[in-house]
Amino acid sequence: TTKGRRFVVLLMSELSPSRLALVSGAEAFVQVACPRLSIDWGHAFTKPVLTPYELEVALETTQWREVYPMDYYAKEAGPWANYPNNLPKTAHAKPTPATA
């Protein structure tokens, strides 16, 4: 859980309103593929489809910016970006070798 919210990770080859409608019990979705999906096509979905930045704002871990950050792939972006140096240290868990 994060801030009292349960989450489930879904892997889909393509996001569409009909596919997300099959997921019951969700209040919202957060997609990490590209911020433009939420911004340009978010209106087509029946539940909010947020960007990682919007989730951070909703969870009150970052403040809303007057200029919307479109830096998801930038090395100097915020913690919501898809760049390893921006992830919390706990997300950098080293893989453990498989045992035979």
Side-chain angles (χ1 to χ4, degrees):
T1 64
T2 300
K3 293 225 174 192
R5 299 288 184 175
R6 293 182 317 151
F7 62 90
V8 176
V9 177
L10 301 173
L11 175 63
M12 295 183 172
S13 59
E14 182 179 326
L15 288 178
S16 70
S18 60
R19 283 187 175 191
L20 291 185
L22 296 173
V23 180
S24 64
E27 294 179 36
F29 297 95
V30 179
Q31 61 83 20
V32 297
C34 176
R36 299 294 302 257
L37 289 172
S38 296
I39 295 165
D40 294 346
W41 297 290
H43 66 278
F45 295 88
T46 58
K47 304 256 174 109
V49 178
L50 307 173
T51 66
Y53 162 69
E54 292 167 337
L55 175 65
E56 294 251 338
V57 171
L59 294 175
E60 299 178 339
T61 56
T62 197
Q63 292 188 0
W64 184 260
R65 297 178 177 207
E66 200 167 318
V67 175
Y68 191 95
M70 292 296 290
D71 56 359
Y72 187 66
Y73 297 106
K75 188 173 184 176
E76 296 79 24
W80 55 82
N82 187 24
Y83 207 86
N85 292 335
N86 296 331
L87 297 175
K89 295 300 179 200
T90 58
H92 289 291
K94 293 182 180 176
T96 56
T99 56

